[in-house]
Amino acid sequence: MSTINAGIAMVKVLESWGVDHIYGIPGGSFNSIMDALYHEKDQIDYIQVRHEEVGALAAAADAKLTGKVGAVFGSAGPGATHLINGLYDAQMDHVPVVALLGQVASTSMNYTAFQELNENPIFADVSVYNRTVMTPESLPYVVDEAIKAAYAHQGVAVVTIPVDFGFEEIEWQDVSNASTYKTGVILPEMEDVKAALPYLEQAQKPVLFIGQGVRHGYDQIKKFTEYFKMPVVASVLAKGIVPDEDKNFLGFAGRVATKPANEALAEADLILFVGSDFPFGRTFFNPEAAFIQVDIDAAKFGRRHHTDLAILGDGKTTLENLVELGKERSEDAWYLANQENLRNWRRWLTSFEEPTEQSIRPEAIYKEINRIAERDAIFVTDVGNTTIHSIRLLNMTGEQLHTTSGWFATMGNGVPGGIAAKLSFPERQVFTLSGDGGFAMVMQDILTQVSYQLPIINVVFSNYSFGFIEAEQEDTEQQKFGVSLEQADFGKACEALGADGFTITHYEQLRPAFDAAAKSDRPVVIDVKIPNKRPLPVEDLHLDPRKYSEEEIERFKEKYEVHDMPVLHEIYTHHLSKQL
């Protein structure tokens, strides 16, 4: 029987599952696998990052953008522990990632060797599969099992590899199950689908809420909303599934949200909750609303709102079935009021695109981003106020992709996600959108973009503050403390790292910088200095005359420059009176 190096056999398993690149930083405890990666370099690319956290966040972004397993490694001790942040991002956003951990030689284990850690318990909580390889012969098998588990449970699989095992020769066996691995669609029971029809017929204020479970389902969503005459709201991770120009797409709920979406969910008497596990439902959904939940995971039923009807099955299929079986609704005051509320909201946002003052508003920056963005561009948004701006101001086409760190909401995911996006989709235009706080955490990996000649457009919104946290301190009426940031010129700094750098302080500099970025074949960093103004807090609007005095409303409007934007209830009442 022929033999093969155990490390090479393991790397070939990765290749069989479609892994074409892996992130990491070499270390003595991982050198046997580095040697295997060298021998397989024509089949799988090793991507040298400047911090293992960046590699793990990039692997998570690969999985979010492609649906394929992301891959990363870290050497024993600090290399491994640096992965934790990115692996939790993958775990909490439910995407498959395999993490390979270096370990001291098997003959040194349990001898308190240099950099030796008991890595299994450290990674137990973050993983769906967590094993230490016990023999060289089992190395390829364990990695195959890990990848199967990562796909099956949409989570993180961790394999710890004693360094000596990767150097050993073993008998060659094709242990990969990639060619026979299957997934399927859970179809809803028709009795459950039919049980939803009376809710749809009787509702006066219905809302469709979608999550990632209906990805690639815009055709079904559009037909459903137009047939049943209801608006649609999405989770942040579902940004891009519905084109932003859709007349019924109200945006997003919660704090990283839009006014039309929050208002509709607070007023709704029926919420059809499809393919989502939105964690803030009990805060932002009308508690009295009837609630139909559609999901492929029964454990999620009732988690976010009392559920009146649960439908176990694929979200897209369920929407199709409801249209096939249900009675078409006519346009009514609720449907028209939400469309008008949405138009008012969009007009209000665009009213700030043109210069009216010396400082540059985010709306003007996103106008430039939307102007140069190609129809299938990919956007990776970091966490903070930039997330709020992106979900409100990126006008996505339906062909474009967007991702961020959703549930874990870790700052510093922008630059790593951009690296992943460009490696996975080399022919597509890629933007990263970061605040100065998040960007500073990972800016060293602009070097990675430069090293691998990745023409990514990195936009930094510098307001010299952890603005999102500053707003939280404001809401709790405490002293603002620890949130101010030292000013930095990221354009010049990143130019020194080898990127094209621009620092923008005036409106007239915006267009030339973005024109240059669109034409560049190198990484670009555009650092735009913006005022430290809080985005409109749609989670706590002081605009409704039923709840606030005229004085309170006027004070709120003045602070946040609100104009020509009545609340949904007022618009709905107006449309209702016209129909009587």
Side-chain angles (χ1 to χ4, degrees):
M1 194 141 185
S2 61
T3 63
I4 187 173
N5 172 270
I8 292 175
M10 183 274 291
V11 173
K12 286 184 178 293
V13 170
L14 293 176
E15 295 165 9
S16 72
W17 284 94
V19 175
D20 56 17
H21 60 271
I22 184 170
Y23 307 94
I25 297 177
S29 59
F30 204 76
N31 275 343
S32 61
I33 306 305
M34 291 304 300
D35 190 58
L37 288 170
Y38 169 77
H39 285 287
E40 290 296 298
K41 63 182 182 297
D42 292 336
Q43 304 300 322
I44 184 169
D45 292 327
Y46 159 57
I47 306 299
Q48 180 201 69
V49 290
R50 295 306 182 100
H51 195 292
E52 289 93 347
E53 176 189 11
V54 168
L57 287 167
D62 275 328
K64 293 178 192 182
L65 291 166
T66 68
K68 293 167 50 181
V69 66
V72 66
F73 67 80
S75 58
T81 58
H82 278 169
L83 299 175
I84 286 285
N85 206 49
L87 298 185
Y88 267 107
D89 182 50
Q91 182 223 48
M92 295 187 75
D93 283 347
H94 306 291
V95 292
V97 167
V98 61
L100 307 179
L101 310 184
Q103 182 56 285
V104 300
S106 60
T107 53
S108 297
M109 289 175 67
N110 301 321
Y111 280 88
T112 59
F114 176 68
Q115 290 192 324
E116 180 190 5
L117 294 180
N118 183 3
E119 291 168 341
N120 289 97
I122 297 173
F123 291 86
D125 182 66
V126 76
S127 61
V128 296
Y129 183 93
N130 181 24
R131 298 287 190 276
T132 295
V133 178
M134 302 304 292
T135 65
E137 290 77 12
S138 66
L139 174 55
Y141 171 83
V142 173
V143 170
D144 187 64
E145 288 292 300
I147 296 174
K148 283 195 293 184
Y151 273 122
H153 302 290
Q154 291 294 290
V156 175
V158 177
V159 178
T160 301
I161 307 169
V163 65
D164 52 326
F165 289 172
F167 286 125
E168 296 293 326
E169 289 290 312
I170 62 173
E171 289 187 355
W172 164 248
Q173 295 183 49
D174 185 3
V175 300
S176 172
N177 285 282
S179 63
T180 56
Y181 185 77
K182 301 292 182 183
T183 59
V185 175
I186 300 175
L187 297 178
E189 294 287 342
M190 293 310 295
E191 288 185 8
D192 293 336
V193 175
K194 291 176 182 178
L197 298 179
Y199 289 95
L200 296 173
E201 293 170 3
Q202 296 165 16
Q204 295 182 331
K205 298 179 179 179
V207 175
L208 171 64
F209 190 105
I210 62 164
Q212 293 198 88
V214 290
R215 191 166 292 283
H216 308 300
Y218 176 57
D219 288 344
Q220 292 91 336
I221 295 164
K222 180 177 172 63
K223 289 176 184 176
F224 180 89
T225 57
E226 293 181 355
Y227 189 78
F228 288 109
K229 306 298 185 295
M230 72 172 70
V232 57
V233 175
S235 67
V236 168
L237 286 173
K239 169 82 172 174
I241 293 177
V242 178
D244 285 290
E245 65 183 13
D246 186 286
K247 65 182 180 181
N248 292 317
F249 181 50
L250 304 183
F252 309 87
R255 182 177 170 195
V256 181
T258 57
K259 171 182 177 288
N262 274 358
E263 288 183 323
L265 288 164
E267 298 269 348
D269 64 2
L270 171 65
I271 299 173
L272 178 58
F273 192 64
V274 184
S276 178
D277 194 23
F278 176 69
F280 306 109
R282 296 191 184 277
T283 303
F284 292 99
F285 296 171
N286 179 4
E288 303 302 320
F291 200 78
I292 302 173
Q293 187 167 359
V294 183
D295 210 288
I296 59 172
D297 182 359
K300 293 176 182 173
F301 293 141
R303 181 183 290 175
R304 307 304 179 188
H305 190 285
H306 170 76
T307 299
D308 297 282
L309 175 63
I311 301 177
L312 182 65
D314 176 63
K316 296 190 291 290
T317 303
T318 301
L319 294 178
E320 285 181 341
N321 292 161
L322 288 169
V323 170
E324 292 167 359
L325 298 174
K327 179 181 178 182
E328 185 174 7
R329 291 170 59 106
S330 301
E331 289 187 353
D332 57 15
W334 174 251
Y335 186 65
L336 297 173
N338 277 285
Q339 290 180 345
E340 182 177 338
N341 197 28
L342 177 59
R343 290 193 298 270
N344 292 341
W345 169 253
R346 290 174 176 168
R347 278 195 297 267
W348 181 75
L349 290 175
T350 57
S351 71
F352 299 109
E353 290 180 348
E354 301 304 323
T356 57
E357 55 186 58
Q358 186 62 25
S359 57
I360 305 172
R361 291 187 61 113
E363 291 86 352
I365 304 168
Y366 279 88
K367 180 183 178 182
E368 292 300 317
I369 294 169
N370 290 323
R371 180 179 66 83
I372 70 166
E374 296 173 2
R375 190 155 187 83
D376 64 348
I378 301 173
F379 304 97
V380 183
T381 300
D382 214 311
V383 167
N385 281 348
T386 307
T387 326
I388 299 176
H389 295 314
S390 285
I391 62 103
R392 293 178 182 177
L393 300 171
L394 281 177
N395 293 326
M396 295 185 65
T397 62
E399 297 175 41
Q400 296 166 334
L401 293 175
H402 176 269
T403 193
T404 187
S405 177
W407 268 37
F408 196 46
T410 179
M411 295 173 65
N413 71 287
V415 169
I419 293 169
K422 198 64 183 177
L423 290 171
S424 290
F425 300 95
E427 302 304 317
R428 295 174 72 166
Q429 186 186 43
V430 174
F431 292 82
T432 76
L433 309 169
S434 307
D436 47 348
F439 185 76
M441 294 179 177
V442 291
M443 63 177 289
Q444 77 283 336
D445 272 271
I446 293 297
L447 285 166
T448 303
Q449 297 184 9
V450 172
S451 178
Y452 292 95
Q453 302 176 26
L454 304 176
I456 297 165
I457 301 172
N458 304 274
V459 184
V460 184
F461 298 79
S462 290
N463 65 340
Y464 313 128
S465 170
F466 291 123
F468 198 88
I469 307 305
E470 182 178 333
E472 291 178 334
Q473 292 184 355
E474 177 182 307
D475 289 343
T476 52
E477 299 181 352
Q478 65 189 86
Q479 288 294 320
K480 295 177 182 177
F481 185 68
V483 293
S484 297
L485 297 175
E486 186 66 32
Q487 298 185 22
D489 188 332
F490 293 112
K492 281 188 177 179
C494 293
E495 195 172 352
L497 297 178
D500 292 342
F502 300 87
T503 300
I504 309 300
T505 57
H506 296 88
Y507 273 100
E508 58 269 21
Q509 298 172 305
L510 276 175
R511 191 178 186 94
F514 278 92
D515 283 343
K519 297 173 184 175
S520 179
D521 60 358
R522 293 154 44 81
V524 177
V525 176
I526 304 176
D527 179 16
V528 190
K529 308 305 183 183
I530 64 173
N532 186 26
K533 289 186 176 180
R534 181 179 182 177
L536 178 69
V538 297
E539 73 278 10
D540 188 26
L541 291 171
H542 292 198
L543 296 175
D544 193 336
R546 297 174 298 173
K547 301 177 182 177
Y548 301 98
S549 69
E550 185 176 342
E551 181 181 351
E552 289 173 316
I553 292 172
E554 288 305 314
R555 189 162 55 243
F556 185 86
K557 284 183 175 181
E558 182 178 358
K559 181 176 181 179
Y560 294 105
E561 302 176 77
V562 176
H563 59 84
D564 304 314
M565 203 160 55
V567 298
L568 174 61
H569 177 74
E570 294 175 301
I571 302 170
Y572 173 65
T573 302
H574 173 70
H575 279 279
L576 201 59
S577 67
K578 288 168 62 176
Q579 292 185 356
L580 296 177

PDB file of all heavy atoms in Angstrom, residues 205 333-334 337 546 567-580:
ATOM      1  N   LYS A 205     -53.153  44.949  10.080  1.00  0.00           N
ATOM      2  CA  LYS A 205     -51.832  45.590  10.036  1.00  0.00           C
ATOM      3  C   LYS A 205     -50.735  44.517  10.003  1.00  0.00           C
ATOM      4  O   LYS A 205     -49.945  44.384  10.931  1.00  0.00           O
ATOM      5  CB  LYS A 205     -51.633  46.495  11.253  1.00  0.00           C
ATOM      6  CG  LYS A 205     -52.613  47.654  11.345  1.00  0.00           C
ATOM      7  CD  LYS A 205     -52.337  48.477  12.608  1.00  0.00           C
ATOM      8  CE  LYS A 205     -53.288  49.658  12.735  1.00  0.00           C
ATOM      9  NZ  LYS A 205     -53.011  50.433  13.975  1.00  0.00           N
ATOM     10  N   ALA A 333     -55.402  51.048   3.808  1.00  0.00           N
ATOM     11  CA  ALA A 333     -54.757  52.195   4.449  1.00  0.00           C
ATOM     12  C   ALA A 333     -53.405  51.815   5.040  1.00  0.00           C
ATOM     13  O   ALA A 333     -52.449  52.602   4.985  1.00  0.00           O
ATOM     14  CB  ALA A 333     -55.672  52.759   5.535  1.00  0.00           C
ATOM     15  N   TRP A 334     -53.298  50.618   5.624  1.00  0.00           N
ATOM     16  CA  TRP A 334     -52.042  50.177   6.228  1.00  0.00           C
ATOM     17  C   TRP A 334     -50.938  50.042   5.178  1.00  0.00           C
ATOM     18  O   TRP A 334     -49.817  50.535   5.363  1.00  0.00           O
ATOM     19  CB  TRP A 334     -52.264  48.845   6.935  1.00  0.00           C
ATOM     20  CG  TRP A 334     -51.040  48.197   7.493  1.00  0.00           C
ATOM     21  CD1 TRP A 334     -50.406  47.078   7.031  1.00  0.00           C
ATOM     22  CD2 TRP A 334     -50.277  48.627   8.642  1.00  0.00           C
ATOM     23  NE1 TRP A 334     -49.311  46.780   7.804  1.00  0.00           N
ATOM     24  CE2 TRP A 334     -49.211  47.710   8.816  1.00  0.00           C
ATOM     25  CE3 TRP A 334     -50.407  49.677   9.541  1.00  0.00           C
ATOM     26  CZ2 TRP A 334     -48.290  47.827   9.826  1.00  0.00           C
ATOM     27  CZ3 TRP A 334     -49.482  49.790  10.570  1.00  0.00           C
ATOM     28  CH2 TRP A 334     -48.431  48.883  10.709  1.00  0.00           C
ATOM     29  N   ALA A 337     -50.042  53.528   3.822  1.00  0.00           N
ATOM     30  CA  ALA A 337     -49.398  54.357   4.847  1.00  0.00           C
ATOM     31  C   ALA A 337     -47.938  53.965   5.030  1.00  0.00           C
ATOM     32  O   ALA A 337     -47.063  54.828   5.188  1.00  0.00           O
ATOM     33  CB  ALA A 337     -50.151  54.239   6.164  1.00  0.00           C
ATOM     34  N   ARG A 546     -49.141  61.225  20.658  1.00  0.00           N
ATOM     35  CA  ARG A 546     -49.852  60.416  21.646  1.00  0.00           C
ATOM     36  C   ARG A 546     -48.984  60.157  22.877  1.00  0.00           C
ATOM     37  O   ARG A 546     -49.512  59.804  23.936  1.00  0.00           O
ATOM     38  CB  ARG A 546     -50.280  59.071  21.035  1.00  0.00           C
ATOM     39  CG  ARG A 546     -51.261  59.176  19.880  1.00  0.00           C
ATOM     40  CD  ARG A 546     -51.511  57.806  19.254  1.00  0.00           C
ATOM     41  NE  ARG A 546     -50.283  57.239  18.701  1.00  0.00           N
ATOM     42  CZ  ARG A 546     -50.185  55.997  18.206  1.00  0.00           C
ATOM     43  NH1 ARG A 546     -51.260  55.198  18.233  1.00  0.00           N
ATOM     44  NH2 ARG A 546     -49.052  55.562  17.705  1.00  0.00           N
ATOM     45  N   VAL A 567     -45.207  60.572  12.052  1.00  0.00           N
ATOM     46  CA  VAL A 567     -45.143  59.176  12.498  1.00  0.00           C
ATOM     47  C   VAL A 567     -46.143  58.340  11.704  1.00  0.00           C
ATOM     48  O   VAL A 567     -47.102  58.863  11.123  1.00  0.00           O
ATOM     49  CB  VAL A 567     -45.408  59.056  14.003  1.00  0.00           C
ATOM     50  CG1 VAL A 567     -44.343  59.796  14.786  1.00  0.00           C
ATOM     51  CG2 VAL A 567     -46.791  59.561  14.365  1.00  0.00           C
ATOM     52  N   LEU A 568     -45.930  57.050  11.705  1.00  0.00           N
ATOM     53  CA  LEU A 568     -46.774  56.136  10.933  1.00  0.00           C
ATOM     54  C   LEU A 568     -48.235  56.247  11.339  1.00  0.00           C
ATOM     55  O   LEU A 568     -49.126  56.224  10.476  1.00  0.00           O
ATOM     56  CB  LEU A 568     -46.275  54.702  11.115  1.00  0.00           C
ATOM     57  CG  LEU A 568     -47.127  53.597  10.486  1.00  0.00           C
ATOM     58  CD1 LEU A 568     -47.226  53.760   8.973  1.00  0.00           C
ATOM     59  CD2 LEU A 568     -46.560  52.219  10.838  1.00  0.00           C
ATOM     60  N   HIS A 569     -48.514  56.361  12.624  1.00  0.00           N
ATOM     61  CA  HIS A 569     -49.899  56.413  13.080  1.00  0.00           C
ATOM     62  C   HIS A 569     -50.648  57.580  12.440  1.00  0.00           C
ATOM     63  O   HIS A 569     -51.819  57.431  12.042  1.00  0.00           O
ATOM     64  CB  HIS A 569     -49.949  56.538  14.606  1.00  0.00           C
ATOM     65  CG  HIS A 569     -51.332  56.664  15.146  1.00  0.00           C
ATOM     66  ND1 HIS A 569     -52.204  55.600  15.207  1.00  0.00           N
ATOM     67  CD2 HIS A 569     -52.016  57.750  15.636  1.00  0.00           C
ATOM     68  CE1 HIS A 569     -53.354  56.003  15.714  1.00  0.00           C
ATOM     69  NE2 HIS A 569     -53.263  57.298  15.985  1.00  0.00           N
ATOM     70  N   GLU A 570     -50.007  58.731  12.328  1.00  0.00           N
ATOM     71  CA  GLU A 570     -50.640  59.889  11.706  1.00  0.00           C
ATOM     72  C   GLU A 570     -50.924  59.627  10.225  1.00  0.00           C
ATOM     73  O   GLU A 570     -52.006  59.966   9.715  1.00  0.00           O
ATOM     74  CB  GLU A 570     -49.748  61.125  11.866  1.00  0.00           C
ATOM     75  CG  GLU A 570     -49.585  61.594  13.298  1.00  0.00           C
ATOM     76  CD  GLU A 570     -48.598  62.731  13.421  1.00  0.00           C
ATOM     77  OE1 GLU A 570     -47.427  62.555  13.031  1.00  0.00           O
ATOM     78  OE2 GLU A 570     -48.997  63.812  13.898  1.00  0.00           O
ATOM     79  N   ILE A 571     -49.967  59.033   9.541  1.00  0.00           N
ATOM     80  CA  ILE A 571     -50.148  58.742   8.117  1.00  0.00           C
ATOM     81  C   ILE A 571     -51.259  57.709   7.926  1.00  0.00           C
ATOM     82  O   ILE A 571     -52.116  57.840   7.036  1.00  0.00           O
ATOM     83  CB  ILE A 571     -48.826  58.236   7.503  1.00  0.00           C
ATOM     84  CG1 ILE A 571     -47.712  59.261   7.700  1.00  0.00           C
ATOM     85  CG2 ILE A 571     -49.002  57.931   6.019  1.00  0.00           C
ATOM     86  CD1 ILE A 571     -46.329  58.727   7.343  1.00  0.00           C
ATOM     87  N   TYR A 572     -51.256  56.697   8.764  1.00  0.00           N
ATOM     88  CA  TYR A 572     -52.271  55.638   8.677  1.00  0.00           C
ATOM     89  C   TYR A 572     -53.667  56.204   8.930  1.00  0.00           C
ATOM     90  O   TYR A 572     -54.619  55.901   8.191  1.00  0.00           O
ATOM     91  CB  TYR A 572     -51.948  54.538   9.690  1.00  0.00           C
ATOM     92  CG  TYR A 572     -53.004  53.469   9.806  1.00  0.00           C
ATOM     93  CD1 TYR A 572     -53.309  52.626   8.743  1.00  0.00           C
ATOM     94  CD2 TYR A 572     -53.703  53.287  11.004  1.00  0.00           C
ATOM     95  CE1 TYR A 572     -54.275  51.646   8.853  1.00  0.00           C
ATOM     96  CE2 TYR A 572     -54.668  52.306  11.123  1.00  0.00           C
ATOM     97  CZ  TYR A 572     -54.951  51.487  10.048  1.00  0.00           C
ATOM     98  OH  TYR A 572     -55.918  50.516  10.160  1.00  0.00           O
ATOM     99  N   THR A 573     -53.792  57.037   9.928  1.00  0.00           N
ATOM    100  CA  THR A 573     -55.088  57.651  10.238  1.00  0.00           C
ATOM    101  C   THR A 573     -55.584  58.475   9.062  1.00  0.00           C
ATOM    102  O   THR A 573     -56.781  58.457   8.730  1.00  0.00           O
ATOM    103  CB  THR A 573     -54.970  58.535  11.495  1.00  0.00           C
ATOM    104  OG1 THR A 573     -54.518  57.725  12.588  1.00  0.00           O
ATOM    105  CG2 THR A 573     -56.306  59.153  11.848  1.00  0.00           C
ATOM    106  N   HIS A 574     -54.675  59.186   8.426  1.00  0.00           N
ATOM    107  CA  HIS A 574     -55.042  59.991   7.256  1.00  0.00           C
ATOM    108  C   HIS A 574     -55.564  59.110   6.127  1.00  0.00           C
ATOM    109  O   HIS A 574     -56.623  59.398   5.528  1.00  0.00           O
ATOM    110  CB  HIS A 574     -53.837  60.810   6.796  1.00  0.00           C
ATOM    111  CG  HIS A 574     -54.052  61.553   5.511  1.00  0.00           C
ATOM    112  ND1 HIS A 574     -54.900  62.638   5.408  1.00  0.00           N
ATOM    113  CD2 HIS A 574     -53.531  61.359   4.265  1.00  0.00           C
ATOM    114  CE1 HIS A 574     -54.910  63.086   4.164  1.00  0.00           C
ATOM    115  NE2 HIS A 574     -54.083  62.321   3.447  1.00  0.00           N
ATOM    116  N   HIS A 575     -54.839  58.027   5.828  1.00  0.00           N
ATOM    117  CA  HIS A 575     -55.271  57.131   4.747  1.00  0.00           C
ATOM    118  C   HIS A 575     -56.587  56.430   5.110  1.00  0.00           C
ATOM    119  O   HIS A 575     -57.431  56.201   4.228  1.00  0.00           O
ATOM    120  CB  HIS A 575     -54.182  56.097   4.459  1.00  0.00           C
ATOM    121  CG  HIS A 575     -53.086  56.606   3.587  1.00  0.00           C
ATOM    122  ND1 HIS A 575     -53.185  56.684   2.219  1.00  0.00           N
ATOM    123  CD2 HIS A 575     -51.857  57.094   3.896  1.00  0.00           C
ATOM    124  CE1 HIS A 575     -52.067  57.169   1.710  1.00  0.00           C
ATOM    125  NE2 HIS A 575     -51.235  57.433   2.712  1.00  0.00           N
ATOM    126  N   LEU A 576     -56.745  56.109   6.381  1.00  0.00           N
ATOM    127  CA  LEU A 576     -57.973  55.445   6.814  1.00  0.00           C
ATOM    128  C   LEU A 576     -59.180  56.355   6.624  1.00  0.00           C
ATOM    129  O   LEU A 576     -60.244  55.910   6.171  1.00  0.00           O
ATOM    130  CB  LEU A 576     -57.833  55.041   8.285  1.00  0.00           C
ATOM    131  CG  LEU A 576     -58.738  53.927   8.806  1.00  0.00           C
ATOM    132  CD1 LEU A 576     -58.531  52.640   8.021  1.00  0.00           C
ATOM    133  CD2 LEU A 576     -58.473  53.699  10.289  1.00  0.00           C
ATOM    134  N   SER A 577     -59.007  57.637   6.936  1.00  0.00           N
ATOM    135  CA  SER A 577     -60.113  58.595   6.783  1.00  0.00           C
ATOM    136  C   SER A 577     -60.497  58.771   5.320  1.00  0.00           C
ATOM    137  O   SER A 577     -61.667  58.990   4.997  1.00  0.00           O
ATOM    138  CB  SER A 577     -59.735  59.934   7.401  1.00  0.00           C
ATOM    139  OG  SER A 577     -58.682  60.546   6.676  1.00  0.00           O
ATOM    140  N   LYS A 578     -59.541  58.667   4.428  1.00  0.00           N
ATOM    141  CA  LYS A 578     -59.812  58.812   2.997  1.00  0.00           C
ATOM    142  C   LYS A 578     -60.617  57.635   2.453  1.00  0.00           C
ATOM    143  O   LYS A 578     -61.332  57.759   1.455  1.00  0.00           O
ATOM    144  CB  LYS A 578     -58.503  58.939   2.218  1.00  0.00           C
ATOM    145  CG  LYS A 578     -57.796  60.278   2.412  1.00  0.00           C
ATOM    146  CD  LYS A 578     -56.384  60.250   1.868  1.00  0.00           C
ATOM    147  CE  LYS A 578     -56.357  59.992   0.379  1.00  0.00           C
ATOM    148  NZ  LYS A 578     -54.967  60.073  -0.146  1.00  0.00           N
ATOM    149  N   GLN A 579     -60.466  56.454   3.114  1.00  0.00           N
ATOM    150  CA  GLN A 579     -61.159  55.268   2.626  1.00  0.00           C
ATOM    151  C   GLN A 579     -62.570  55.140   3.201  1.00  0.00           C
ATOM    152  O   GLN A 579     -63.347  54.305   2.750  1.00  0.00           O
ATOM    153  CB  GLN A 579     -60.346  54.019   2.978  1.00  0.00           C
ATOM    154  CG  GLN A 579     -59.037  53.935   2.197  1.00  0.00           C
ATOM    155  CD  GLN A 579     -58.296  52.642   2.463  1.00  0.00           C
ATOM    156  OE1 GLN A 579     -58.707  51.826   3.283  1.00  0.00           O
ATOM    157  NE2 GLN A 579     -57.184  52.437   1.759  1.00  0.00           N
ATOM    158  N   LEU A 580     -62.888  55.946   4.212  1.00  0.00           N
ATOM    159  CA  LEU A 580     -64.218  55.862   4.827  1.00  0.00           C
ATOM    160  C   LEU A 580     -65.243  56.665   4.026  1.00  0.00           C
ATOM    161  O   LEU A 580     -64.941  57.653   3.392  1.00  0.00           O
ATOM    162  CB  LEU A 580     -64.138  56.381   6.269  1.00  0.00           C
ATOM    163  CG  LEU A 580     -63.254  55.549   7.223  1.00  0.00           C
ATOM    164  CD1 LEU A 580     -63.200  56.208   8.593  1.00  0.00           C
ATOM    165  CD2 LEU A 580     -63.806  54.140   7.342  1.00  0.00           C
TER     166      LEU A 580
END
